[in-house]
Amino acid sequence: MGNLNRQFQNIAAIGTVIAVDAAAWKLRLKIDDNETDWIPIPTIAAGVVKVWRCPSIGEQFSVTAQGGELTSAVPQISLFSEANPPPTDNPDEVFIQLGEHSIVVNVATGEANFKLSKCVFDVPETIFKGKVHADEEITSDIDVIASDVSLVEHPHGGVMSGPSQTSPAIPTEGV
């Protein structure tokens, strides 16, 4: 009867990550006094759209096991716990915590905050609508063109020696 009770308890349970093999996409969970075999790391998408996130040791998952057998256990979704609480309690925020970094979108205000050490956009074209503000210096290793004026190689007309100022830069197309 004890084995049958354990099987019923294991049909749906909460397991804690005790080991991860990221290269094999597997993890092991501790459920009460039992441990699972190596089982697949769950994801929210694994088709054309893919989301990879390696679980943390100590993270908790909701688990189902067909027939209550832990050899067939399938982790469903990660759960917040005392050891791993949510990063916010604001119901308007979609908050993605990435270690020390984060991406936060407030769905009520439409504002987003990216806290990253570096952000690389590998896209053929980027369009900004609205104002762009910079709190620090903007630098570029290549020439910058604004209103057809090269920042690096623009000529000036009416140049005279002495204390007078030059004329505005001439657009590169006019050279």
Side-chain angles (χ1 to χ4, degrees), residues 56-128:
S56 305
I57 301 294
E59 185 173 353
Q60 291 186 332
F61 281 86
S62 170
V63 180
T64 58
Q66 188 175 13
E69 287 298 325
L70 293 182
T71 55
S72 66
V74 177
Q76 301 297 311
I77 190 167
S78 184
L79 304 170
F80 290 115
S81 65
E82 292 294 322
N84 293 294
T88 184
D89 60 3
N90 185 337
D92 291 330
E93 288 182 341
V94 174
F95 197 120
I96 301 171
Q97 185 77 41
L98 305 162
E100 303 268 332
H101 311 291
S102 62
I103 299 169
V104 183
V105 177
N106 186 304
V107 295
T109 65
E111 293 180 19
N113 183 318
F114 295 78
K115 183 179 176 189
L116 306 166
S117 58
K118 184 177 182 178
C119 190
V120 175
F121 293 92
D122 186 2
V123 294
E125 183 176 1
T126 303
I127 298 170
F128 293 95

Side-chain angles (χ1 to χ4, degrees), residues 14-85:
I14 294 175
T16 302
V17 177
I18 56 172
V20 175
D21 183 346
W25 327 320
K26 304 279 184 180
L27 60 78
R28 294 190 68 199
L29 299 172
K30 183 170 176 75
I31 301 171
D32 296 323
D33 293 331
N34 302 307
E35 295 179 3
T36 66
D37 247 349
W38 289 100
I39 57 178
I41 291 174
T43 185
I44 61 171
V48 173
V49 174
K50 293 174 177 44
V51 177
W52 165 254
R53 184 198 59 88
C54 189
S56 305
I57 301 294
E59 185 173 353
Q60 291 186 332
F61 281 86
S62 170
V63 180
T64 58
Q66 188 175 13
E69 287 298 325
L70 293 182
T71 55
S72 66
V74 177
Q76 301 297 311
I77 190 167
S78 184
L79 304 170
F80 290 115
S81 65
E82 292 294 322
N84 293 294

Side-chain angles (χ1 to χ4, degrees), residues 140-174:
S140 175
D141 292 337
I142 61 171
D143 194 3
V144 175
I145 310 292
S147 294
D148 292 327
V149 176
S150 163
L151 186 63
V152 175
E153 299 188 24
H154 62 267
H156 290 266
V159 177
M160 298 173 56
S161 60
S164 58
Q165 297 290 320
T166 63
S167 300
I170 299 171
T172 50
E173 289 179 2

